[in-house]
PDB file of all heavy atoms in Angstrom:
ATOM      1  N   GLN A  24      -7.502  12.952   6.715  1.00  0.00           N
ATOM      2  CA  GLN A  24      -7.376  14.033   5.770  1.00  0.00           C
ATOM      3  C   GLN A  24      -6.263  13.757   4.735  1.00  0.00           C
ATOM      4  O   GLN A  24      -6.482  14.045   3.586  1.00  0.00           O
ATOM      5  CB  GLN A  24      -7.041  15.341   6.559  1.00  0.00           C
ATOM      6  CG  GLN A  24      -7.098  16.637   5.771  1.00  0.00           C
ATOM      7  CD  GLN A  24      -8.413  16.850   5.077  1.00  0.00           C
ATOM      8  OE1 GLN A  24      -9.458  16.491   5.575  1.00  0.00           O
ATOM      9  NE2 GLN A  24      -8.315  17.447   3.883  1.00  0.00           N
ATOM     10  N   ILE A  91      10.182  -4.435  -4.759  1.00  0.00           N
ATOM     11  CA  ILE A  91      11.512  -4.156  -4.160  1.00  0.00           C
ATOM     12  C   ILE A  91      11.418  -4.405  -2.616  1.00  0.00           C
ATOM     13  O   ILE A  91      10.347  -4.276  -2.046  1.00  0.00           O
ATOM     14  CB  ILE A  91      11.991  -2.718  -4.446  1.00  0.00           C
ATOM     15  CG1 ILE A  91      10.870  -1.738  -3.977  1.00  0.00           C
ATOM     16  CG2 ILE A  91      12.345  -2.521  -5.898  1.00  0.00           C
ATOM     17  CD1 ILE A  91      11.427  -0.318  -3.906  1.00  0.00           C
ATOM     18  N   GLU A 131      15.067   9.168  -7.218  1.00  0.00           N
ATOM     19  CA  GLU A 131      15.600  10.144  -6.257  1.00  0.00           C
ATOM     20  C   GLU A 131      16.039   9.471  -4.920  1.00  0.00           C
ATOM     21  O   GLU A 131      15.220   8.678  -4.360  1.00  0.00           O
ATOM     22  CB  GLU A 131      14.559  11.173  -5.940  1.00  0.00           C
ATOM     23  CG  GLU A 131      15.029  12.378  -5.151  1.00  0.00           C
ATOM     24  CD  GLU A 131      14.001  13.422  -4.891  1.00  0.00           C
ATOM     25  OE1 GLU A 131      12.907  13.405  -5.558  1.00  0.00           O
ATOM     26  OE2 GLU A 131      14.254  14.306  -4.053  1.00  0.00           O
ATOM     27  N   THR A 140      12.058  10.568  11.875  1.00  0.00           N
ATOM     28  CA  THR A 140      11.171  11.646  12.170  1.00  0.00           C
ATOM     29  C   THR A 140      10.872  11.613  13.691  1.00  0.00           C
ATOM     30  O   THR A 140      11.058  10.568  14.353  1.00  0.00           O
ATOM     31  CB  THR A 140       9.808  11.443  11.452  1.00  0.00           C
ATOM     32  OG1 THR A 140       9.269  10.239  11.909  1.00  0.00           O
ATOM     33  CG2 THR A 140      10.028  11.385   9.954  1.00  0.00           C
ATOM     34  N   GLU A 148       1.644   3.793  18.428  1.00  0.00           N
ATOM     35  CA  GLU A 148       0.742   2.735  18.062  1.00  0.00           C
ATOM     36  C   GLU A 148       1.419   1.410  18.249  1.00  0.00           C
ATOM     37  O   GLU A 148       2.511   1.289  18.715  1.00  0.00           O
ATOM     38  CB  GLU A 148       0.359   2.943  16.632  1.00  0.00           C
ATOM     39  CG  GLU A 148      -0.695   3.951  16.398  1.00  0.00           C
ATOM     40  CD  GLU A 148      -1.236   3.940  14.989  1.00  0.00           C
ATOM     41  OE1 GLU A 148      -0.453   4.069  14.079  1.00  0.00           O
ATOM     42  OE2 GLU A 148      -2.383   3.820  14.861  1.00  0.00           O
TER      43      GLU A 148
END
Side-chain angles (χ1 to χ4, degrees):
Q24 188 56 34
I91 53 165
E131 191 178 348
T140 64
E148 282 189 303

